[in-house]
Amino acid sequence: MKKLLLFFAVALITFGAKSQECDSLVNVCYTYLAKDSKKGKVFISDGQVYQAFVDAEQSAEFKVTLYGGSLYRIATTAGTKDNYVIFNVYDQDRNLLFSNADHDNAPYWDFKVDNTLDCYVEAYLDIDKKVSGCLVLLIGFNK
């Protein structure tokens, strides 16, 4: 019985630590949405917090709809450094539209969508920099 209680205690502490890590990263990611507010670019979150706990062999995939005529920002983080996360944006036919790997794993990227588009955002950790942890992705639009 003591072993069973110990197991549950360790499981709760581990889950709680992962949850806390993700929660603190969400706040970091929100700062990327407001990064250029002095230049007139203010991005409003789409209301979703995309997060996943991944390791070196895993990725997270999120399906999103981007509406034509809007300016969007995808922001990501997985820790104290800006470039832990690699994200790729694919159209519904899995054609690669953008990869931040081509831009030194930039933590956020702005792009304009001419026509409404269903797409997939795949995110994973750059294993040369971090092998496991929570990654957070936010999508904001310019009002």
Side-chain angles (χ1 to χ4, degrees), residues 18-132:
K18 288 179 183 176
S19 177
Q20 272 186 324
E21 177 187 1
C22 288
D23 290 345
S24 66
L25 292 177
V26 170
N27 293 330
V28 170
C29 213
Y30 272 116
T31 66
Y32 294 141
L33 291 185
K35 198 74 167 175
D36 298 325
S37 61
K38 293 177 185 169
K39 297 178 183 176
K41 285 186 185 177
V42 176
F43 290 88
I44 309 297
S45 171
D46 70 354
Q48 300 291 318
V49 176
Y50 306 94
Q51 60 186 13
F53 196 88
V54 296
D55 64 25
E57 298 174 4
Q58 296 175 316
S59 66
E61 184 176 272
F62 310 103
K63 185 175 181 181
V64 298
T65 300
L66 304 175
Y67 296 97
S70 297
L71 179 65
Y72 285 94
R73 174 173 287 178
I74 293 180
T76 62
T77 191
T80 57
K81 301 236 179 184
D82 289 342
N83 57 358
Y84 285 143
V85 180
I86 297 171
F87 68 90
N88 301 314
V89 180
Y90 298 95
D91 68 11
Q92 62 189 8
D93 296 323
R94 298 290 180 175
N95 297 308
L96 181 65
L97 304 175
F98 175 79
S99 177
N100 74 331
D102 298 332
H103 303 278
D104 196 30
N105 301 355
Y108 60 90
W109 198 260
D110 301 346
F111 55 97
K112 185 165 178 133
V113 176
D114 294 327
N115 300 307
T116 298
L117 172 69
D118 288 324
C119 59
Y120 299 93
V121 180
E122 175 191 47
Y124 55 95
L125 297 174
D126 184 336
I127 59 170
D128 292 332
K129 297 175 181 164
K130 190 170 185 177
V131 294
S132 70

